[in-house]
Amino acid sequence: MSRKIRYGMIGGGRGAFIGGVHRIAASIDQQIELVCGAFSSDPQRSKDSGADFFLPAERCYANYEEMIRTEAALPADKRMDFVSIVTPNHLHFPAAKAALEAGFHVLSDKPATFNLAQAKELAGIVKATGKLYGVTYNYTGYPLMRQARQMIEEGKLGEIRKVVVEYPQGWLATMLENTGQKQAAWRVDPAICGAAGCMGDIGTHAINLAEYVTGLHIKELAADLTIFLAKEGRRLEDDGNVLLRFTNGAKGVLHSSQISIGCENNLSLRVYGSLGGIEWSQLDPNTMIVTSLDKPKQIYRTGLGYLGSAAGAATRTPSGHPEGYLEGFANIYRNFANHVRAVINGTTPNPLDMDYPTIEEGVAGMAFIEAVVASSANNAAWTPLDYTPTTRAKYGDATLASDRGGLS
């Protein structure tokens, strides 16, 4: 197939934040082309937003239902290949369901759905339609996080014992949602965001990264969530602290906050095994500290020859040229698009191109949200996660190209 992969976007029009990030990420490798969209719930704003992107007026739709119906009727050489969903949370499930059932692959912003029941239903739809589904837990796209994952898979850290993951922000330390700030307003509205605020917005990113790097799954957790601005009228938590028990017996700690004044997007991960550990921070994403029982600390840097195949495949520039948030996000889009291309061509995907979050991670994220909310409501009682994970395939494992379902 000698053309770019074509996609349509639902949401992400004028005034949106994450839509622009998705469009930049999709365009970085020049393999994907935006051809249509329903960019807003306001039909005129959708049309105006499409004009901003120089799209034909007839492919700037009033709503996602019209977009999916019209695109499905177009000739195969013109219609979109997949849908990118970048709306607020409450629309993720109906938009994904409509696209999958119309025969389109889907790449959705996180969380996958509004609640766990929807996520499990969506997993069934993905399996029934045979279409690809990805969710943009984008921090897994950083080269050094892929390096850490590969090192752990190869046993270089030994048996994993302790995981510490943090994602503090400070932008909601005041009632920003009352100032007309659109991004703040919907994130603290339970009718749009869902059962969790901070944990649904960034806590799911943190826990996804911890599970991705370690290969472990959370068995149960104890959560203490707080709405520090409850007296001012906030309805969803803006801070949370969670103890974690993993399926292999490892223990963990998650701290996620949006009232930590001075913090930006301070995502960090520390993993400790029986033979060594790793330390990484998004504020310096091209550096990872590796510790060992009997050696001095080592500093790993992005773009150097001693890194493994996973990090190498996720790196675009020589060492010393910083790669960050947008490039990591682009790795999710590139891998997903390469998988779509392989499906269209009827060829076997490169196993490294299968490295993007799927419906399994989508269900896991929703199970985490429901568990932390339930635990906190029960005085931080230990609460199991209501889903059954599959065994994760390793790099180079041919089963990466097979069905990655199996959720129950």
Side-chain angles (χ1 to χ4, degrees):
M1 182 174 62
S2 57
R3 65 168 177 85
K4 294 182 178 182
I5 298 296
R6 299 185 291 260
Y7 80 107
M9 179 167 280
I10 299 174
R14 288 182 177 179
F17 158 68
I18 201 63
V21 172
H22 279 254
R23 288 188 293 272
I24 293 170
S27 68
I28 281 179
D29 293 298
Q30 297 298 299
Q31 297 296 305
I32 310 171
E33 178 184 10
L34 179 66
V35 296
C36 64
F39 300 105
S40 173
S41 57
D42 180 311
Q44 187 58 51
R45 181 176 294 171
S46 179
K47 294 282 187 182
D48 293 342
S49 298
D52 292 342
F53 312 139
F54 304 103
L55 294 177
E58 66 271 16
R59 298 189 77 178
C60 302
Y61 300 102
N63 52 64
Y64 72 82
E65 295 94 341
E66 180 191 23
M67 182 182 93
I68 291 169
R69 182 177 63 252
T70 305
E71 289 292 313
L74 291 176
D77 63 351
K78 187 175 181 181
R79 74 170 74 107
M80 63 184 178
D81 297 307
F82 77 90
V83 173
S84 173
I85 301 173
V86 297
T87 65
N89 302 353
H90 68 304
L91 293 176
H92 289 183
F93 172 73
K97 180 178 185 292
L100 290 165
E101 291 180 341
F104 295 108
H105 308 293
V106 171
L107 185 59
S108 176
D109 201 64
K110 61 82 211 156
T113 56
F114 188 72
N115 56 44
L116 180 57
Q118 287 183 350
K120 289 184 175 183
E121 183 179 348
L122 188 61
I125 295 169
V126 171
K127 186 173 183 179
T129 61
K131 296 301 173 182
L132 302 183
Y133 175 89
V135 58
T136 54
Y137 285 116
N138 54 285
Y139 300 106
T140 62
Y142 278 110
L144 288 177
M145 291 296 86
R146 298 191 171 184
Q147 173 69 19
R149 168 175 157 154
Q150 189 166 4
M151 291 171 66
I152 289 171
E153 286 179 344
E154 293 171 353
K156 293 183 178 179
L157 270 60
E159 181 182 5
I160 301 305
R161 295 171 172 171
K162 181 81 172 184
V163 181
V164 181
V165 61
E166 301 173 291
Y167 200 155
Q169 298 174 335
W171 73 298
L172 292 180
T174 64
M175 291 293 289
L176 189 62
E177 59 265 37
N178 289 346
T179 67
Q181 217 275 15
K182 179 180 176 181
Q183 301 306 317
W186 76 258
R187 281 175 169 81
V188 297
D189 184 346
I192 298 176
C193 187
C198 174
M199 283 295 165
D201 191 21
I202 58 176
T204 52
H205 270 305
I207 209 63
N208 171 262
L209 186 65
E211 290 194 332
Y212 171 85
V213 169
T214 64
L216 303 178
H217 297 286
I218 300 169
K219 180 181 179 181
E220 56 185 351
L221 55 79
D224 180 20
L225 308 183
T226 304
I227 308 175
F228 276 104
L229 277 70
K231 291 181 180 179
E232 290 81 358
R234 184 167 291 166
R235 292 178 288 169
L236 291 175
E237 93 285 347
D238 44 32
D239 184 84
N241 303 281
V242 188
L243 296 178
L244 309 167
R245 291 173 178 167
F246 291 90
T247 48
N248 76 328
K251 303 299 173 66
V253 179
L254 164 65
H255 156 58
S256 186
S257 175
Q258 292 178 314
I259 50 84
S260 296
I261 294 173
C263 291
E264 298 168 348
N265 283 277
N266 295 21
L267 174 64
S268 66
L269 176 67
R270 288 172 282 164
V271 179
Y272 304 102
S274 57
L275 300 178
I278 64 99
E279 301 176 16
W280 177 86
S281 169
Q282 186 182 219
L283 296 183
D284 187 11
N286 296 290
T287 299
M288 180 172 70
I289 296 174
V290 178
T291 58
S292 303
L293 279 173
D294 55 357
K295 298 177 183 178
K297 286 184 178 181
Q298 294 180 305
I299 297 176
Y300 279 42
R301 292 281 295 166
T302 300
L304 293 170
Y306 52 74
L307 299 180
S309 58
T315 304
R316 293 174 179 78
T317 60
S319 60
H321 296 289
E323 294 191 48
Y325 176 77
L326 293 172
E327 290 86 354
F329 215 120
N331 285 331
I332 306 300
Y333 264 89
R334 181 177 62 186
N335 287 4
F336 185 79
N338 285 345
H339 194 183
V340 170
R341 187 182 299 277
V343 169
I344 293 172
N345 289 341
T347 58
T348 300
N350 182 328
L352 287 172
D353 287 337
M354 306 294 293
D355 189 9
Y356 62 86
T358 68
I359 188 59
E360 177 165 353
E361 287 80 7
V363 174
M366 294 313 305
F368 167 77
I369 289 171
E370 293 214 350
V372 294
V373 171
S375 172
S376 186
N378 194 23
N379 198 30
W382 284 101
T383 303
L385 270 66
D386 182 19
Y387 89 111
T388 303
T390 62
T391 300
R392 187 183 72 186
K394 297 184 178 181
Y395 286 112
D397 188 336
T399 61
L400 277 168
S402 68
D403 181 10
R404 296 167 70 185
L407 288 160
S408 61

